[in-house]
């Protein structure tokens, strides 16, 4: 296995570089489709999650971890299937280049909540977005990244992802639970 010869820039170095080369407006490229996609995406996700939870509660121990895992996976699959066109537009706007056709199916790979599966999928999906590169397919890209850069390359960007995702998830799930609580309280 070949080890990388250069050090990958950190979050702040990348941010500084983007601001210097492209200006502050570039940080908001693709924001419109993102905003248009978030509300319907969350609505679809939570509606599917709730319905799946009802179904899985009838199969497994009610409200068990397995019910939540299968419900979340089902909701993510349906949401990704329905919302992919909006995210594809966002990606194209952000890149201002032709997207690689494999990106559509890669959203399904990102469904898994396990870091081992999710983080490599994000790294590979990002590489496939680079037009005109040596990256051609999911499996080919995964093998090439591993061979050329090693296992840790699959975790590049994890810190930035966690900074974005943890507060986002906390806000979304807290809001969901509050709404469910308020709605249940009114029906009783």
């Amino acid at each position: 296995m070949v080890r990388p010869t250069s050090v990958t820039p950190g979050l702040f170095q990348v941010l500084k570089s983007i601001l210097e080369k492209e200006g502050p407006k570039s940080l908001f490229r693709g924001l419109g489709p993102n905003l248009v996609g978030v509300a319907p995406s969350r609505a679809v996700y939570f509606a599917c999650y709730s319905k799946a939870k009802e179904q899985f509660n009838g199969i497994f121990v009610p409200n068990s971890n397995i019910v939540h895992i299968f419900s979340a996976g089902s909701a993510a699959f349906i949401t990704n299937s329905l919302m992919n066109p909006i995210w594809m537009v966002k990606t194209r706007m952000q890149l201002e280049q032709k997207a690689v056709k494999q990106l559509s199916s890669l959203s399904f790979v990102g469904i898994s909540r396990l870091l081992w599966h999710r983080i490599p999928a994000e790294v590979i999906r990002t590489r496939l977005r680079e037009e005109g590169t040596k990256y051609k397919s999911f499996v080919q890209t995964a093998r090439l990244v591993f061979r050329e850069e090693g296992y840790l390359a699959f975790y590049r960007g994890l810190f930035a992802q966690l900074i974005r995702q943890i507060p986002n998830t906390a806000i979304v799930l807290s809001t969901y639970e509050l709404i469910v609580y308020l709605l249940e309280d009114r029906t009783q």
Side-chain angles (χ1 to χ4, degrees):
M1 171 175 35
V2 177
R3 298 282 178 209
T5 55
S6 63
V7 175
T8 302
L11 174 67
F12 296 110
Q13 289 91 359
V14 171
L15 180 61
K16 181 181 175 193
S17 174
I18 290 170
L19 290 172
E20 287 173 354
K21 293 177 184 175
E22 303 172 44
K25 287 175 86 175
S26 67
L27 295 174
F28 299 95
R29 191 180 305 136
L31 180 61
N34 200 18
L35 293 175
V36 169
V38 168
S41 176
R42 296 296 188 207
V44 168
Y45 178 85
F46 285 118
C48 292
Y49 177 82
S50 180
K51 191 66 176 166
K53 197 166 129 183
E54 287 176 20
Q55 298 297 316
F56 289 122
N57 274 335
I59 299 170
F60 302 109
V61 174
N63 296 315
S64 62
N65 288 341
I66 196 77
V67 167
H68 295 296
I69 289 168
F70 281 143
S71 299
S74 299
F77 182 84
I78 293 167
T79 303
N80 281 338
S81 298
L82 294 175
M83 300 307 297
N84 195 67
I86 291 173
W87 306 131
M88 184 59 74
V89 169
K90 179 188 137 211
T91 299
R92 287 187 183 185
M93 287 178 72
Q94 286 176 322
L95 296 175
E96 296 180 350
Q97 297 173 344
K98 189 172 80 176
V100 179
K101 65 181 178 180
Q102 287 91 356
L103 289 177
S104 299
S105 61
L106 289 180
S107 292
F108 299 116
V109 176
I111 289 170
S112 171
R113 297 295 183 213
L114 300 174
L115 284 178
W116 166 243
H117 296 292
R118 184 156 179 83
I119 299 303
E122 293 300 324
V123 169
I124 294 165
R125 181 169 30 190
T126 300
R127 299 289 175 97
L128 285 170
R129 287 177 176 153
E130 299 173 15
E131 186 177 353
T133 65
K134 58 189 172 186
Y135 307 113
K136 306 298 178 205
S137 71
F138 185 84
V139 173
Q140 181 264 348
T141 301
R143 287 180 180 155
L144 192 59
V145 167
F146 181 76
R147 186 173 58 239
E148 290 182 351
E149 302 174 47
Y151 174 77
L152 292 178
F154 292 111
Y155 291 92
R156 285 204 183 112
L158 176 61
F159 181 67
Q161 174 73 4
L162 291 175
I163 287 174
R164 181 186 75 82
Q165 196 63 40
I166 290 172
N168 178 45
T169 302
I171 291 167
V172 167
L173 294 177
S174 297
T175 303
Y176 174 76
E177 292 296 335
L178 177 63
I179 290 170
V180 168
Y181 173 77
L182 292 174
L183 291 175
E184 285 177 350
D185 192 40
R186 286 190 167 183
T187 59
Q188 294 176 1

